[in-house]
Amino acid sequence: MLTPLRKGSDYHHGDLRDAVIRVARDLVASEGVSSLGIRRVALRVNVTPAALYRHFESLEQLRGEVSGRVRNEMAEMMILAREKVGPATLSKTRSRARFAAIGDAYVAYARKFPRLFEIAFLTCDALPETGESLAWRTLEESLEELIKSGLLERRKSLKAATLAWSSIHGLASLVASQTISNKEYPLFRKSVLDGVQDAVFAR
Amino acid sequence: MLTPLRKGSDYHHGDLRDAVIRVARDLVASEGVSSLGIRRVALRVNVTPAALYRHFESLEQLRGEVSGRVRNEMAEMMILAREKVGPATLSKTRSRARFAAIGDAYVAYARKFPRLFEIAFLTCDALPETGESLAWRTLEESLEELIKSGLLERRKSLKAATLAWSSIHGLASLVASQTISNKEYPLFRKSVLDGVQDAVFAR
DNA sequence: TAATAATGTAAACAATGTTAACACCTCTGC
DNA sequence: GCAGAGGTGTTAACATTGTTTACATTATTA
């Protein structure tokens, strides 16, 4: 327990809104999106249900907020994984490995937190206005590295980005929804990764 | 109205179970998966809520049943689209067109019925025992055609199938969840289709 | 035709999202 | 310092939901 949710006998919470989203995220992660509810979250945050309506218009909006937070979390995981292989250089193998890392992190997240991945891409009537996603920008950065290290022609870059995202996302989605099992996964993984690399890297 | 839901003053319905799934499907299609409810469906079928529990254990199971029906519906659309380009022959262009048709039908369905596509791939605790999916078998058939017409080596066939499905599914999923807009769609579509064809067809 | 199973209804239950009226806390302007 | 105003929590209620239990009606079968 990092910080107590309520400091002593405070009437005010201090930072409800954020605590609510955090707890909601954890609830979805462990019990699924259909278990996310105003009252259940309120209980865990040790607050009255009505209090949540000071910070969220509806359950639907809270769901959207969780969805947005998860998408950011995913992107941060991707960035972390990329940094872990080493800082960006002009080395071909380096930038190639960094590119592979973000794709791997994407589907690794879906495998580790399938319920979170699910809520991240649910059609949401009330999603927080997000410009270009962090994940997409991260992908673009990696492609830029590939261009600078001479592995990718600039004119092919956009096409590479869209194909890479689609196939990686498809793999992640099929895994998260258990449409493909853990046993089938390695084959799918190899096919997709090879396919993406074949398409991205000029031969 | 094709068939009246209740024949005259019948106490018994005749074929509730099926009528329920049909109505549930339409409800999801028009108002989204979170609007699917026992009472709402019961009302539309002109039946008491408790009646549904003679045919389904829970709302969760009904959701699973709808999900299964939609997956079948998708596969039927794919088969229909494939037949529409013409019967299977050994012609290279023919089998190639038939292969493209099923991929196009897949994402076309997701574009036309995003809410149905969504429920089709929701993680479902109670999904009806389905062996190999009809869609997957349809894909395998098309790959077999490609092999027989000399466009694809048999040893590459499984890899081709997994890559094709992942990327097409990813494209469909990103479209259905509105992660990519209608404006961005054409570019994504071209990238994915080209990428799949490059990977599938030996060069 | 009488018993039995299948399938519907009626009424109740606890739990849910949401709202309105009220209480407390914190801050600003004098 | 302090009065009031706005922000943030509580309490109590409401309509609606999934689900169960007891009962009524129809269909099936021996």
Side-chain angles (χ1 to χ4, degrees):
Chain A
M1 210 176 311
L2 299 175
T3 65
L5 293 183
R6 304 200 59 179
K7 307 165 190 164
S9 65
D10 274 359
Y11 188 87
H12 281 17
H13 179 282
D15 190 12
L16 198 54
R17 183 176 170 90
D18 202 68
V20 165
I21 299 183
R22 209 169 45 234
V23 165
R25 189 220 89 113
D26 294 347
L27 188 61
V28 170
S30 59
E31 302 189 27
V33 54
S34 62
S35 298
L36 176 57
I38 294 287
R39 290 182 117 102
R40 292 173 73 138
V41 171
L43 227 132
R44 298 201 184 197
V45 183
N46 206 25
V47 137
T48 257
L52 271 64
Y53 287 86
R54 298 289 176 201
H55 303 271
F56 307 92
E57 283 186 356
S58 64
L59 171 61
E60 182 66 16
Q61 195 209 306
L62 173 56
R63 279 205 344 206
E65 225 66 46
V66 173
S67 171
R69 168 157 307 202
V70 169
R71 283 198 297 270
N72 265 13
E73 198 176 297
M74 282 186 63
E76 283 161 13
M77 297 290 234
M78 292 164 66
I79 295 176
L80 216 73
R82 189 176 58 182
E83 292 312 307
K84 205 174 169 191
V85 341
T89 67
L90 264 58
S91 145
K92 285 194 202 315
T93 64
R94 167 64 57 86
S95 46
R96 207 171 156 137
R98 280 167 56 89
F99 173 64
I102 66 174
D104 259 330
Y106 195 99
V107 23
Y109 189 95
R111 267 164 67 84
K112 197 168 184 181
F113 307 111
R115 318 234 194 209
L116 292 182
F117 183 84
E118 185 177 15
I119 203 181
F121 292 96
L122 275 193
T123 57
C124 217
D125 293 343
L127 61 167
E129 258 324 310
T130 164
E132 240 182 14
S133 81
L134 181 54
W136 179 257
R137 282 207 311 273
T138 304
L139 173 57
E140 281 180 326
E141 285 169 18
S142 271
L143 290 174
E144 191 64 29
E145 280 182 45
L146 291 175
I147 295 171
K148 283 182 177 148
S149 56
L151 277 170
L152 175 63
E153 304 171 46
R154 165 148 271 125
R155 64 177 179 81
K156 286 189 178 176
S157 138
L158 188 53
K159 187 167 185 171
T162 53
L163 172 64
W165 194 17
S166 294
S167 36
I168 293 291
H169 178 79
L171 175 60
S173 174
L174 290 174
V175 167
S177 66
Q178 292 175 318
T179 305
I180 66 182
S181 64
N182 277 334
K183 178 175 280 184
E184 301 164 310
Y185 169 70
L187 169 63
F188 272 79
R189 185 193 122 99
K190 179 156 178 38
S191 302
V192 169
L193 264 53
D194 286 0
V196 169
Q197 304 228 350
D198 284 359
V200 169
F201 303 125
R203 282 176 298 180
Chain B
M1 210 178 309
L2 297 176
T3 65
L5 293 182
R6 304 200 59 178
K7 307 165 190 165
S9 66
D10 274 359
Y11 187 88
H12 282 17
H13 178 282
D15 191 11
L16 197 54
R17 184 177 169 87
D18 202 68
V20 165
I21 299 183
R22 209 169 45 235
V23 165
R25 189 220 89 114
D26 294 348
L27 187 61
V28 170
S30 59
E31 301 189 28
V33 53
S34 62
S35 299
L36 177 58
I38 294 285
R39 288 185 119 101
R40 294 175 71 140
V41 170
L43 226 133
R44 298 202 184 195
V45 183
N46 206 26
V47 138
T48 257
L52 271 64
Y53 287 86
R54 299 288 176 198
H55 303 272
F56 308 93
E57 283 185 356
S58 63
L59 172 61
E60 182 66 16
Q61 196 209 306
L62 173 56
R63 279 208 341 209
E65 226 66 45
V66 173
S67 171
R69 169 157 306 201
V70 169
R71 283 198 297 271
N72 265 13
E73 197 176 296
M74 282 186 62
E76 283 161 13
M77 297 290 235
M78 292 163 66
I79 294 176
L80 215 74
R82 188 176 59 181
E83 292 314 306
K84 206 174 168 189
V85 342
T89 67
L90 265 59
S91 145
K92 285 194 203 316
T93 63
R94 166 65 57 86
S95 47
R96 207 170 154 138
R98 280 167 57 88
F99 173 66
I102 65 173
D104 259 330
Y106 195 99
V107 23
Y109 189 95
R111 268 164 67 83
K112 198 168 185 181
F113 306 111
R115 318 233 194 210
L116 292 183
F117 183 84
E118 185 176 15
I119 203 181
F121 292 96
L122 275 193
T123 58
C124 216
D125 293 342
L127 61 166
E129 258 324 309
T130 164
E132 242 183 11
S133 81
L134 181 53
W136 179 257
R137 282 207 311 275
T138 304
L139 173 57
E140 281 179 326
E141 285 169 17
S142 269
L143 290 174
E144 191 64 29
E145 280 182 46
L146 291 176
I147 295 170
K148 282 183 178 147
S149 56
L151 277 170
L152 174 63
E153 305 172 45
R154 164 145 274 126
R155 65 177 177 80
K156 286 188 176 177
S157 138
L158 189 52
K159 187 167 185 173
T162 53
L163 172 64
W165 193 15
S166 294
S167 35
I168 293 290
H169 178 80
L171 175 60
S173 173
L174 290 174
V175 167
S177 65
Q178 292 175 316
T179 305
I180 66 181
S181 64
N182 277 333
K183 178 176 280 185
E184 301 165 308
Y185 169 70
L187 169 63
F188 273 79
R189 183 193 123 99
K190 179 156 178 38
S191 302
V192 169
L193 262 53
D194 286 0
V196 169
Q197 304 229 350
D198 284 359
V200 168
F201 303 126
R203 282 178 298 183

